[in-house]
Amino acid sequence: MHTLNLGILAHVDAGKTSLTERLLHTAGIIDEIGSVDDGSTQTDSLALERQRGITIKSAVVSFEIDDVTVNLIDTPGHPDFIAEVERVLSVLDGAVLVISAVEGVQAQTRVLMRTLRRLRIPTLVFVNKIDRRGADTDRVLRSVSERLTEAIVPMGLVDGLGGRDARAIPHTGFTAGLLDVLSAHDDELLASYVEDGTVPYGRLRAALAEQTGRALVHPVFFGSAVTGAGVDTLISGIRDLLPAAGGRADGPVSGTVFKVERGPAGEKIAYARMFSGTVRTRDLLTFGDGAGSGDSGGNGAVREGKVTAVSVFERGSDPRETSVAAGRIGKLWGLGDIRIGDTIGVPRERADDFSRADPAGRHHFSPPTLETVVVPRRPADRGALHTALTQLAEQDPLINLRQDGTRREISVSLYGEVQKEVVQATLADEFGLDVGFRETTTICVERLLGSGEAVEFNGKDANPFLATVGLRVDPAPPGAGVGFRLEVELGAMPYAFYKAVEDTVKETLDQGIHGWRVDDCTVTMTHSGYSPRQSHAHQGFDKSMSSTGADFRGLTPLVLMEALRRAGTQVHEPMHRFRIDAPADTLGALLPLLAGLRAVPRTTRTRGTSCELEGTIPAARVHGLEQRLPGPTSGEGTLEAAFDHYAPVGRGPVPERPRTDHNPLNRKEYLLNVTRRVGG
């Protein structure tokens, strides 16, 4: 038996979950097809998913196609839950991208396809809803070719389009279109055709499978998840065209955790895709962000845990097993410190089957750019709210929590308003907490205007800490993140003190001069010094005369913020790239609207009676554009927008974010709070 880990992806309402139900029914896993409207689907198990009719959390279910075990992963389609899709992509062998034959290519469809192509994930396209009134497969194919990729191969025709009896008729022989697409990547095919006047269909089919497996071409199937039309042909395509999972069961252990949930007793259950090796019950595993790679700092610290139980997905269930091997997806118990995104064992690039790297890093989608304060309706629920939000953040690492101890408030970062509603409903349903939200605000960042440095010496300049710390900050290219370097001799003082400075630097940079995270910079330690361990005669260690890690953790924020102040920082706001499709005669009304929202059109193209505008707009204005677009376009304008970059705040006052630390910008206030804590 071979294994294929398959993702189902789509824009919301394209019929993705309905297709999942149809595949499971056709494979004999379920006796009756569930309904999204009725909340009876197999993979939408959360009560909230059933109520709203949308997928929020990814779900795994397994079925068999002849000698292939397919682990099918149903993913959310709404852009507010893109982080959930991101985690699934890291474990896929192949994907099916679902597009509605009525609505065609939509905003989220383009985001997903761009990412699938960038990660070189073999992808089939399924044009769904051929039985619906308004279905137009020719228009959809043109749109796919123009907006997604030209490397598509229609795998058949549709008879009775737009009617209940619509059916998909598969191609079973040579077609010129198939040869044209495949020969672009295979000169021998074209030479054979020129020489013989034809190419055997078997050879074309083999070339199609090979090029699909390399994500060079994308076969397009037609059908209806509701009626089942074309689904058998799609299943054959999944079996024949998508590559099976690789990896050696006897290789080094390497896996990725893409989902964490809580069991009935509150225990963590980790969903892991194994790329290499075998994990067995009672194994002691290392895991973390880059486990086994030598990373030992911050949240990436390598952790350990003993596996107490294993279950493996197969034939519609997940029975308990003694092990889970390379290529399979399993659930692991006993790893209390496990987090979503953790690497189990060695990183994938060091495992034998590694074949597809992501040079851009772990995150394939943009971070959330919105933030809101969560407020409990009952003040007595503050503690319970913090615990509940911490558990939700465990399940979604791109939901960042900010705890303001002074105001006793918690902020969460989000992708959109729908996600906020889901968080509210989840807190009510699962934790019994009634909460409200403050106004949603945009998350900005700070970037350095230049270089700056500062130093404070042990025993001088009213420095109350037994430590010497000197730091220089320098700008780094966009996307570089935060780097830490030493210009002092590593052995000049205990390593723990250097580590205390490095960790505190990264923590302090979460709140710059204006309260926003400082991004893309290099921090260099230029001075260091400490008071060696002292003790009185016949007595123990005297920390009032000897440096401790607390001295370096206390002094570092003061030095770093002074260096930032001397360098200067500028607040940058998130900018989205946008695309608007609208009637050409509405362009005159659209441009003033865009100008009023600080949107900048970059390109304008006219095709017949329609026009297409692309440009950039501040993330804070996207929601306003969505609300106002129907007016000037008579309801015919469509918008797609996605994060693109950060840009300096253009007009108006500089946005400030309330601080949640002891404010090292105010030395007197900071020392009053920190030295009291250190002394205590």
Side-chain angles (χ1 to χ4, degrees):
M1 293 288 288
H2 301 293
T3 302
L4 169 65
N5 296 296
L6 178 71
I8 305 288
L9 300 95
H11 186 99
V12 65
D13 289 335
K16 170 178 48 62
T17 300
S18 297
L19 177 60
T20 299
E21 291 289 306
R22 175 61 66 175
L23 291 173
L24 296 178
H25 182 265
T26 303
I29 298 301
I30 56 177
D31 296 326
E32 185 175 344
I33 295 177
S35 166
V36 174
D37 293 335
D38 295 339
S40 57
T41 57
Q42 179 84 2
T43 52
D44 285 346
S45 57
L46 298 178
L48 191 59
E49 292 177 312
R50 299 182 185 278
Q51 292 167 11
R52 295 186 64 101
I54 60 173
T55 302
I56 297 170
K57 294 293 181 183
S58 59
V60 182
V61 65
S62 183
F63 63 91
E64 293 182 359
I65 304 174
D66 299 331
D67 63 343
V68 179
T69 296
V70 178
N71 291 323
L72 191 151
I73 307 176
D74 186 25
T75 61
H78 198 285
D80 280 13
F81 308 107
I82 199 68
E84 192 75 20
V85 180
E86 172 184 341
R87 293 190 287 274
V88 171
L89 291 179
S90 67
V91 306
L92 296 182
D93 302 306
V96 174
L97 181 65
V98 183
I99 301 175
S100 167
V102 180
E103 288 82 12
V105 174
Q106 297 171 278
Q108 189 72 349
T109 319
R110 298 186 72 196
V111 173
L112 292 169
M113 190 60 166
R114 277 197 299 266
T115 307
L116 289 166
R117 295 187 68 197
R118 184 170 71 248
L119 299 178
R120 302 193 297 279
I121 295 175
T123 302
L124 309 181
V125 176
F126 183 69
V127 179
N128 190 26
K129 303 184 181 181
I130 63 171
D131 59 317
R132 296 286 185 87
R133 179 180 299 177
D136 187 338
T137 53
D138 289 339
R139 173 176 53 81
V140 172
L141 285 175
R142 285 195 303 272
S143 182
V144 169
S145 179
E146 293 172 0
R147 304 176 68 182
L148 300 183
T149 173
E150 294 181 353
I152 58 173
V153 179
M155 300 301 292
L157 303 170
V158 177
D159 181 49
L161 183 66
R164 182 70 180 178
D165 296 327
R167 61 192 184 99
I169 304 173
H171 291 314
T172 57
F174 172 88
T175 66
L178 177 58
L179 176 65
D180 288 344
V181 174
L182 296 179
S183 61
H185 307 286
D186 190 337
D187 293 337
E188 292 183 4
L189 280 178
L190 184 59
S192 177
Y193 177 73
V194 171
E195 182 177 334
D196 301 331
T198 187
V199 179
Y201 182 65
R203 183 176 175 185
L204 285 174
R205 187 79 178 188
L208 178 62
E210 190 269 338
Q211 293 189 25
T212 301
R214 292 165 56 200
L216 297 175
V217 301
H218 305 284
V220 180
F221 297 83
F222 304 96
S224 168
V226 172
T227 67
V231 173
D232 286 339
T233 304
L234 174 64
I235 288 176
S236 297
I238 292 171
R239 177 195 62 203
D240 299 336
L241 301 177
L242 293 179
R248 289 175 29 228
D250 60 348
V253 170
S254 177
T256 296
V257 176
F258 65 95
K259 179 176 179 177
V260 173
E261 65 182 15
R262 294 272 179 174
E267 74 279 16
K268 281 188 181 180
I269 305 171
Y271 286 63
R273 157 72 194 271
M274 299 304 302
F275 295 105
S276 174
T278 300
V279 171
R280 298 174 176 84
T281 304
R282 294 186 295 278
D283 277 357
L284 183 65
L285 293 182
T286 59
F287 49 87
D289 182 1
S293 63
D295 182 1
S296 60
N299 292 335
V302 175
R303 288 157 271 131
E304 288 186 341
K306 180 176 286 188
V307 179
T308 59
V310 174
S311 69
V312 180
F313 288 94
E314 60 181 29
R315 299 180 183 178
S317 62
D318 54 341
R320 291 292 177 98
E321 301 286 353
T322 58
S323 64
V324 54
R328 307 300 296 272
I329 291 177
K331 294 163 69 173
L332 307 178
W333 280 259
L335 308 178
D337 293 330
I338 201 81
R339 300 169 183 157
I340 290 175
D342 276 350
T343 293
I344 294 175
V346 301
R348 186 180 176 187
E349 58 267 27
R350 289 170 53 192
D352 291 344
D353 75 317
F354 180 77
S355 60
R356 189 170 58 232
D358 175 22
R362 291 179 55 215
H363 293 313
H364 315 310
F365 293 94
S366 61
T369 56
L370 302 176
E371 183 176 62
T372 184
V373 175
V374 188
V375 182
R377 307 284 190 193
R378 298 182 296 271
D381 287 340
R382 291 185 187 276
L385 175 60
H386 182 267
T387 301
L389 287 173
T390 300
Q391 288 195 21
L392 292 184
E394 285 178 355
Q395 300 169 26
D396 190 340
L398 293 187
I399 292 181
N400 299 312
L401 301 184
R402 293 181 75 244
Q403 177 81 36
D404 187 334
T406 304
R407 299 171 184 81
R408 301 185 66 197
E409 295 177 344
I410 303 175
S411 300
V412 297
S413 55
L414 304 166
Y415 281 98
E417 294 299 314
V418 172
Q419 189 183 14
K420 185 165 71 173
E421 295 172 19
V422 168
V423 168
Q424 184 179 39
T426 302
L427 290 172
D429 295 344
E430 297 186 15
F431 300 94
L433 297 173
D434 184 14
V435 303
F437 297 92
R438 301 264 176 82
E439 181 183 1
T440 302
T441 57
T442 304
I443 301 175
C444 299
V445 299
E446 292 182 49
R447 287 189 172 147
L448 296 178
L449 291 172
S451 298
E453 57 184 311
V455 60
E456 294 211 21
F457 293 97
N458 187 355
K460 296 182 180 179
D461 302 325
N463 174 11
F465 302 102
L466 298 178
T468 294
V469 174
L471 298 171
R472 184 178 69 249
V473 293
D474 298 295
V482 174
F484 182 80
R485 301 188 307 175
L486 296 177
E487 278 186 1
V488 294
E489 186 179 348
L490 184 59
M493 65 181 187
Y495 172 75
F497 294 162
Y498 294 110
K499 192 67 175 66
V501 173
E502 180 179 1
D503 290 346
T504 306
V505 161
K506 293 179 179 178
E507 179 182 330
T508 303
L509 288 176
D510 280 342
Q511 301 183 78
I513 302 297
H514 301 283
W516 305 103
R517 186 184 78 253
V518 181
D519 230 349
D520 302 328
C521 66
T522 301
V523 181
T524 304
M525 190 170 185
T526 58
H527 297 76
S528 65
Y530 76 111
S531 296
R533 185 181 182 92
Q534 303 287 332
S535 60
H536 297 288
H538 311 298
Q539 295 184 16
F541 163 62
D542 185 354
K543 70 177 183 180
S544 68
M545 301 170 58
S546 312
S547 296
T548 66
D551 288 297
F552 288 89
R553 288 190 293 271
L555 180 59
T556 296
L558 286 174
V559 176
L560 180 58
M561 295 305 289
E562 181 59 29
L564 288 177
R565 193 175 351 223
R566 294 175 180 179
T569 67
Q570 185 174 33
V571 177
H572 287 58
E573 63 182 334
M575 302 294 292
H576 283 221
R577 62 182 178 274
F578 72 85
R579 170 177 168 149
I580 294 175
D581 290 303
D585 59 6
T586 66
L587 183 60
L590 267 177
L591 293 177
L593 169 63
L594 294 173
L597 294 171
R598 292 173 49 210
V600 179
R602 303 293 184 186
T603 61
T604 303
R605 290 183 290 272
T606 302
R607 292 193 183 97
T609 60
S610 65
C611 69
E612 177 185 289
L613 283 79
E614 293 186 354
T616 57
I617 183 173
R621 304 300 181 97
V622 172
H623 186 58
L625 180 56
E626 289 174 339
Q627 291 180 315
R628 297 173 62 181
L629 183 62
T633 63
S634 302
E636 296 185 40
T638 62
L639 169 70
E640 57 184 88
F643 172 82
D644 189 65
H645 66 284
Y646 287 97
V649 174
R651 298 195 299 249
V654 176
E656 301 279 342
R657 191 187 211 183
R659 304 194 70 88
T660 61
D661 59 9
H662 291 291
N663 192 14
L665 290 170
N666 185 325
R667 185 182 183 91
K668 182 177 180 181
E669 174 188 325
Y670 177 83
L671 291 177
L672 182 64
N673 285 291
V674 175
T675 55
R676 183 171 57 215
R677 291 171 62 240
V678 172

